[in-house]
Amino acid sequence: MGLAIAYIIIAIYSIALILIFFYSLAQLNLLINYLGYKRRNEEAPKFNLLDPKEIPFVTIQLPIYNEEYVMERLLDNIAKIEYPKSKLEIQVLDDSTDDSVIETARRVQELQETGLDIQHIRRENRKGFKAGALKEGLEIAKGDFIAIFDADFLPETDWLKKTVPYFKDQEIGVVQTRWGHINRDYSTLTRIQAFALDAHFTLEQVGRNSKGHFINFNGTAGIWRKQCILDAGNWEGDTLTEDLDLSYRAQLKNWKFKYLEDVETPAELPVVISAARSQQFRWNKGGAENFRKTVWSVVTSKNIPFKTKFHGVMHLLNSSMFLCVFIVALLSIPMLYIKNTYGHLGWVFEVTSFFILSTIILFVCYWFTYKSIQGSSFDNFVDYIKLFFTFFSVALGFSLHNTVAVLEGHLGKRSEFVRTPKFNINNLSDSWKGNKYLTNKLSPNMILEFALMIYFLFGMYSAIPLNDYGLFPFHLMLFLGFGFVFFKSITSKA
């Protein structure tokens, strides 16, 4: 019986490792695409915004919900956007249920008095959450092009001048820009988030877009052709990541997306782990929901090549890698004992080299993305090594939380769109203490995260009597990762 269970554990462990290895190979292919694209210089047809006849009408949509701390900053920044006032409309899509509505209405009225075409739009209910707000706003939008910014984004004044011209190409449905981070160095948590997002906005977005593979509008800091939104079926609120959903429906309809790595749109990163938790949960569950909703359409599509289908499937499975990582982590300790109990199964453990190789591939891929933004000096490389393993450990610590999100998404369990609290943190001296949007509720996952911290401490101890230290570094990172997530969650309550 014991041997049968051992075989089952080995099989599940090996499948999870192989899936992670395939993911790392996909990332390696994106790195090759990225490096190849960086050496090319393309000239695309563009609108001439100096010619009044070529200037298209643009609507800026600002979907907001209870954003007391950042509303004034957002509106003041958007009001500075350089674009002919006769061709610009701003919609403040305000679903707020708190007193921030009053202050927003006051500031909008002040901006209206300056001659700005800005509307404060309220709804009867929050049906469809962000997707519902965008859809209702679109019904009355005057613009042929729709730029969208979340409340924590601060586009530069010339943002529209850098993005709108690309729509001269009638096949382009979306222009997406790279996110910047105004509070990157606020804490370990913000540095880790910036690290992960930078990899997505360089390696993944450029790597896919450069070869015509599907990418996603990132929910903000991008601009849509209105016709593209309508042709793709408009915004739908049946997933938590409406941006990924509409992106895939549009590209399945043969719309092209243009990604601009060189146009950075600064934004604020969550500074409290509870805010990062809610954001991670929404992104990872939404990714799984979109896999469930869209993967069959991608696989069976007759108008996209096999390689684009492969990268599309891997893209939709991105969040599901947390499930694979969590399985590998959980089974690594039983595997340690199986290895030392059943000597004749020793050859099986060569499969663990998949995990080491996957880690090396990701280490190389992320270095290229890191140095493209931070520089490639020796000191930066040393900083990168520290940051990579810190990121790796904390990502492992989030694996239970994100696995729950992924499983809910795959199983079709519906949940409310939970916003990420914003703090108006611009520098190291700013504090998040006392933010009224923070919840004091403890997540039940936190108890399990503490238990897992102890479990992997036991895994580290097990190496001593078994005299087998092969998994010790992995268990150390898991212990530190779950410890970081647990203790940060305990100490960051408002």
Side-chain angles (χ1 to χ4, degrees):
M1 183 66 182
L3 187 59
I5 293 171
Y7 276 121
I8 292 169
I9 290 172
I10 288 169
I12 296 170
Y13 184 80
S14 301
I15 290 167
L17 279 177
I18 290 166
L19 287 172
I20 293 169
F21 180 63
F22 274 114
Y23 170 77
S24 68
L25 288 180
Q27 295 294 100
L28 181 60
N29 183 247
L30 292 178
L31 175 64
I32 293 166
N33 294 350
Y34 176 73
L35 295 176
Y37 180 75
K38 294 291 279 185
R39 290 191 292 270
R40 292 206 330 256
N41 204 354
E42 293 181 339
E43 276 301 319
K46 297 177 185 176
F47 283 125
N48 177 13
L49 297 186
L50 297 175
D51 181 354
K53 294 176 183 174
E54 285 208 37
I55 299 174
F57 204 117
V58 173
T59 296
I60 295 176
Q61 291 187 322
L62 307 174
I64 58 171
Y65 175 68
N66 295 353
E67 306 288 8
E68 177 180 316
Y69 300 102
V70 295
M71 270 316 299
E72 187 173 355
R73 182 182 73 179
L74 170 69
L75 292 174
D76 289 351
N77 187 78
I78 291 296
K80 295 173 185 171
I81 291 276
E82 295 168 354
Y83 204 76
K85 285 189 177 180
S86 62
K87 295 289 184 80
L88 180 65
E89 166 195 45
I90 300 168
Q91 293 182 336
V92 182
L93 306 173
D94 190 357
D95 279 358
S96 299
T97 55
D98 67 354
D99 293 342
S100 67
V101 174
I102 300 166
E103 182 59 28
T104 299
R106 183 193 66 78
R107 187 67 188 120
V108 167
Q109 187 174 354
E110 288 176 357
L111 291 173
Q112 285 173 341
E113 290 167 2
T114 69
L116 201 62
D117 184 356
I118 181 169
Q119 305 300 322
H120 188 206
I121 299 170
R122 302 272 295 148
R123 295 197 295 164
E124 294 290 320
N125 60 62
R126 289 186 68 213
K127 182 182 178 184
F129 306 110
K130 181 179 176 181
L134 293 170
K135 188 174 182 178
E136 282 202 24
L138 191 69
E139 289 176 6
I140 56 171
K142 303 172 193 171
D144 296 313
F145 301 98
I146 314 293
I148 300 169
F149 299 102
D150 284 347
D152 48 342
F153 279 74
L154 300 167
E156 302 289 345
T157 56
D158 60 353
W159 194 92
L160 288 175
K161 292 179 179 178
K162 289 178 177 176
T163 55
V164 170
Y166 288 93
F167 287 104
K168 177 90 169 180
D169 181 345
Q170 294 297 313
E171 294 183 340
I172 288 181
V174 171
V175 174
Q176 174 67 49
T177 65
R178 178 170 59 84
W179 294 6
H181 318 291
I182 59 176
N183 59 334
R184 175 192 294 273
D185 295 319
Y186 185 81
S187 66
T188 299
L189 181 64
T190 57
R191 281 190 289 273
I192 290 165
Q193 292 174 90
F195 180 83
L197 287 167
D198 286 346
H200 169 68
F201 280 98
T202 50
L203 173 75
E204 295 184 343
Q205 291 288 65
V206 176
R208 292 188 184 110
N209 194 226
S210 64
K211 294 294 184 182
H213 304 323
F214 287 9
I215 65 167
N216 59 303
F217 164 67
N218 294 102
T220 175
I223 180 167
W224 284 82
R225 187 187 296 272
K226 185 177 183 180
Q227 181 190 348
C228 174
I229 297 175
L230 298 174
D231 184 51
N234 215 324
W235 297 103
E236 294 179 359
D238 57 347
T239 73
L240 292 179
T241 46
E242 71 295 320
D243 44 10
L244 179 60
D245 171 34
L246 185 58
S247 297
Y248 266 66
R249 283 188 280 121
Q251 287 166 111
L252 285 166
K253 286 260 190 173
N254 293 327
W255 286 98
K256 289 181 185 175
F257 280 33
K258 180 69 178 176
Y259 177 67
L260 303 178
E261 183 188 9
D262 294 334
V263 180
E264 179 182 278
T265 308
E268 178 187 321
L269 293 160
V271 295
V272 179
I273 203 158
S274 59
R277 272 180 180 275
S278 66
Q279 188 177 72
Q280 286 287 311
F281 192 89
R282 189 173 73 247
W283 287 352
N284 285 290
K285 181 171 180 176
E289 287 175 329
N290 274 290
F291 176 84
R292 195 167 181 260
K293 177 177 179 177
T294 309
V295 71
W296 186 245
S297 299
V298 172
V299 171
T300 58
S301 175
K302 292 187 169 75
N303 58 8
I304 55 176
F306 172 78
K307 207 164 185 180
T308 297
K309 290 181 181 182
F310 171 75
H311 278 291
V313 171
M314 295 308 295
H315 186 190
L316 292 168
L317 275 175
N318 258 7
S319 63
S320 300
M321 286 302 113
F322 277 106
L323 173 59
C324 295
V325 167
F326 185 66
I327 288 170
V328 168
L330 207 59
L331 296 183
S332 62
I333 295 176
M335 286 291 285
L336 189 63
Y337 281 90
I338 290 169
K339 180 183 178 183
N340 287 274
T341 304
Y342 302 102
H344 66 288
L345 294 178
W347 62 271
V348 171
F349 291 84
E350 292 177 15
V351 80
T352 57
S353 63
F354 275 118
F355 187 74
I356 297 166
L357 189 55
S358 298
T359 305
I360 292 169
I361 290 170
L362 293 176
F363 180 86
V364 171
C365 289
Y366 288 178
W367 163 242
F368 278 97
T369 65
Y370 181 85
K371 76 172 186 174
S372 74
I373 294 173
Q374 301 297 324
S376 57
S377 69
F378 179 76
D379 286 346
N380 279 335
F381 183 65
V382 173
D383 289 342
Y384 167 74
I385 293 172
K386 291 186 286 189
L387 189 56
F388 177 82
F389 286 104
T390 305
F391 158 74
F392 207 136
S393 298
V394 175
L396 291 171
F398 267 102
S399 61
L400 168 67
H401 177 78
N402 291 342
T403 291
V404 172
V406 166
L407 288 175
E408 284 191 11
H410 283 304
L411 294 173
K413 181 183 177 184
R414 301 300 298 275
S415 59
E416 186 175 304
F417 185 102
V418 179
R419 65 180 285 281
T420 305
K422 317 295 191 306
F423 299 86
N424 198 1
I425 299 291
N426 298 302
N427 53 60
L428 297 178
S429 62
D430 291 340
S431 175
W432 51 266
K433 299 284 187 183
N435 185 301
K436 72 180 187 181
Y437 299 127
L438 284 176
T439 175
N440 285 308
K441 189 171 69 173
L442 295 178
S443 164
N445 288 349
M446 288 167 52
I447 299 164
L448 291 174
E449 284 160 353
F450 176 76
L452 285 164
M453 182 185 77
I454 301 302
Y455 176 66
F456 292 112
L457 181 64
F458 169 73
M460 292 159 61
Y461 164 77
S462 298
I464 300 169
L466 295 175
N467 195 30
D468 186 342
Y469 294 90
L471 286 169
F472 188 89
F474 185 45
H475 291 152
L476 175 61
M477 286 195 293
L478 284 158
F479 169 73
L480 294 173
F482 279 108
F484 178 89
V485 171
F486 172 74
F487 286 110
K488 280 288 183 183
S489 298
I490 289 291
T491 58
S492 69
K493 294 298 162 187

